[in-house]
Amino acid sequence: MTLKNTAWYLRSRPTGEVDASHFDVRTEEVPDPGPGQVLVRNIYLMIPASMRIWMNERDTYLPAVPLGTVMRGITTSIVEKSNDERLPVGTYVNGMCGWQEYAVAAVEELMPLTHKHPDIPLSNYRHVLDFQGLTAYCGLTDVGKPQAGETLVVTAAAGSVGSLVCQIGKKLGLRVIGIAGGPEKCQWLRDVCKVDGAIDYKSDDVGAKLDELCPNGIDIVFENVGGPVLDLMLDRINLRARIVLCGFVSTYFGGEQTAGRGLMNLVNQRGTMQGFIVLDYLPHYAEVMGILTPWVLDGSLVHPEEILDGLENAPVAMNRLSRGENHGMQLIRISPEA
Ligand SMILES: NC(=O)c1ccc[n+]([C@@H]2O[C@H](COP(=O)([O-])OP(=O)(O)OC[C@H]3O[C@@H](n4cnc5c(N)ncnc54)[C@H](OP(=O)(O)O)[C@@H]3O)[C@@H](O)[C@H]2O)c1
């Protein structure tokens, strides 16, 4: 029997939220892998906030997804046919295999999960023990240059990356303040992530709360959001503060970038503001996973995930990020693990 692949092709570019009309869903025959290639069945598709900007016309740190091609997506998959002994049938792999059930890929394009710990669920290797963990750890340690006792403020703090940054910050001896939307997320940050304070940007007076919770000023900002809160944080930075620009999620679904009023305080305080992209830290992957894995195993690095079944839920899952409906990492289960 010939295998059939259901694949989601980008048909048009959304201006705000995403829906099924932006895609053509096609069912087509699965091709056989050529020399040096394998056929994988995709299991988990990660829904990171930044996936939304790949759908825009403008290139970012990756080229824009061309219209008429399978939507780019970061996946965990299993090898089902192999033409290369380096990736035998049954190997779990991470890669960019897209919004589809099956993909043919060159061995060099895939990373085998030979390091998977038997007590850690496969889905964890699609976020905390992969890009999200690497982003949080390297952004905070390499760009943020933390010193124990300093004050760190994290935005989108209850999200996938943000909640890891908060917890890693606590492990490094920082005073950590998280900013998130809604009282439940703030309570979770205090109770579970053990932050020293949480601010609900939707209902608190953010400036007044920053003054109350950061009485000695702010040494590190880990910015995931952009917008007016960034200026309120810049107003309160200390001498030689580090502003880590990880992302501007408030702009991804059509919002305007409005931050900038507070930039002069970087001059006054001799601060630095630096963006980074996780892909630059791939050479440190094994080292960082070696640090994070024991924390995942002993439960001291919590990493909630929400899994929706079926590719048809991928647009809904993306919009949950824009609305703040996600609690931790949003994943799509495309097919069963076994
Ligand atoms: N630089 C890199 O290499 C890299 C790598 C991975 C991720 N990132 C960045 O990390 C950030 C978080 O990504 P993620 O995948 O972990 O997503 P996430 O934080 O799990 O989900 C996005 C969260 O952003 C908040 N949000 C959405 N729209 C907002 C708005 N208009 N104003 C304020 N908050 C808003 C929502 O939380 P609330 O309910 O709290 O509003 C939502 O839950 C993004 O900026 C992403 O681009 C960067």
Side-chain angles (χ1 to χ4, degrees):
M1 200 180 69
T2 18
L3 273 180
K4 294 284 182 195
N5 181 35
T6 301
W8 286 56
Y9 287 76
L10 187 63
R11 182 214 298 238
S12 58
R13 302 195 184 281
T15 50
E17 291 200 338
V18 183
D19 63 56
S21 73
H22 296 114
F23 301 91
D24 285 318
V25 182
R26 299 187 200 152
T27 302
E28 42 202 28
E29 256 180 43
V30 174
D32 276 327
Q37 292 184 326
V38 295
L39 171 73
V40 298
R41 173 170 57 78
N42 290 332
I43 299 171
Y44 291 111
L45 170 69
M46 177 184 178
I47 307 287
S50 44
M51 191 156 67
R52 175 60 187 80
I53 55 175
W54 305 342
M55 301 173 80
N56 294 341
E57 194 165 358
R58 193 172 164 196
D59 293 345
T60 55
Y61 58 94
L62 290 176
V65 177
L67 292 180
T69 63
V70 174
M71 179 60 200
R72 181 188 294 135
I74 307 174
T75 46
T76 296
S77 320
I78 188 165
V79 176
E80 296 222 323
K81 277 187 193 173
S82 176
N83 279 338
D84 194 299
E85 61 189 14
R86 287 173 292 171
L87 284 186
V89 168
T91 311
Y92 289 117
V93 289
N94 276 351
M96 288 237 189
C97 292
W99 290 32
Q100 55 185 342
E101 292 172 303
Y102 292 93
V104 167
V107 168
E108 292 76 18
E109 294 170 335
L110 301 169
M111 191 190 70
L113 297 181
T114 42
H115 55 290
K116 182 186 174 308
H117 191 286
D119 296 338
I120 299 180
L122 183 65
S123 53
N124 286 193
Y125 288 88
R126 193 54 283 134
H127 57 112
V128 55
L129 293 177
D130 196 61
F131 283 151
Q132 303 295 77
L134 194 65
T135 301
Y137 190 87
C138 295
L140 180 58
T141 57
D142 189 55
V143 187
K145 299 188 173 27
Q147 300 290 321
E150 288 187 325
T151 296
L152 161 71
V153 181
V154 183
T155 55
S160 169
V161 168
S163 61
L164 297 176
V165 175
C166 287
Q167 295 170 82
I168 294 168
K170 287 307 299 174
K171 284 177 181 291
L172 298 177
L174 303 176
R175 175 174 175 78
V176 179
I177 307 302
I179 303 182
E184 291 82 13
K185 286 189 177 184
C186 288
Q187 197 61 44
W188 180 79
L189 282 168
R190 283 186 287 262
D191 293 349
V192 179
C193 297
K194 307 292 182 204
V195 297
D196 300 281
I199 300 174
D200 175 0
Y201 73 89
K202 289 183 174 166
S203 63
D204 286 334
D205 176 337
V206 176
K209 280 298 243 185
L210 283 170
D211 288 338
E212 177 194 327
L213 294 170
C214 308
N216 299 320
I218 300 172
D219 301 294
I220 310 170
V221 169
F222 196 102
E223 174 61 310
N224 288 315
V225 172
V229 170
L230 176 55
D231 287 316
L232 294 172
M233 295 187 290
L234 288 172
D235 290 342
R236 291 159 175 84
I237 57 173
N238 289 331
L239 200 63
R240 305 200 197 290
R242 283 82 67 203
I243 315 302
V244 183
L245 295 184
C246 179
F248 274 28
V249 68
S250 67
T251 66
Y252 294 175
F253 290 80
E256 287 292 310
Q257 168 46 34
T258 57
R261 177 196 51 75
L263 284 175
M264 180 60 200
N265 210 25
L266 276 179
V267 181
N268 301 332
Q269 299 292 47
R270 295 79 154 174
T272 55
M273 185 180 249
Q274 186 186 329
F276 76 99
I277 291 295
V278 62
L279 300 176
D280 299 340
Y281 290 97
L282 288 178
H284 299 278
Y285 191 93
E287 173 200 340
V288 174
M289 295 309 126
I291 296 167
L292 301 184
T293 300
W295 293 343
V296 169
L297 273 174
D298 70 16
S300 65
L301 186 65
V302 297
H303 49 277
E305 59 190 30
E306 291 178 326
I307 303 179
L308 293 175
D309 279 302
L311 267 174
E312 63 278 14
N313 280 313
V316 173
M318 287 188 73
N319 295 337
R320 295 188 84 226
L321 301 188
S322 117
R323 298 171 191 178
E325 291 172 359
N326 65 308
H327 181 59
M329 187 71 232
Q330 183 75 67
L331 295 174
I332 295 292
R333 184 164 32 221
I334 298 178
S335 69
E337 286 186 18

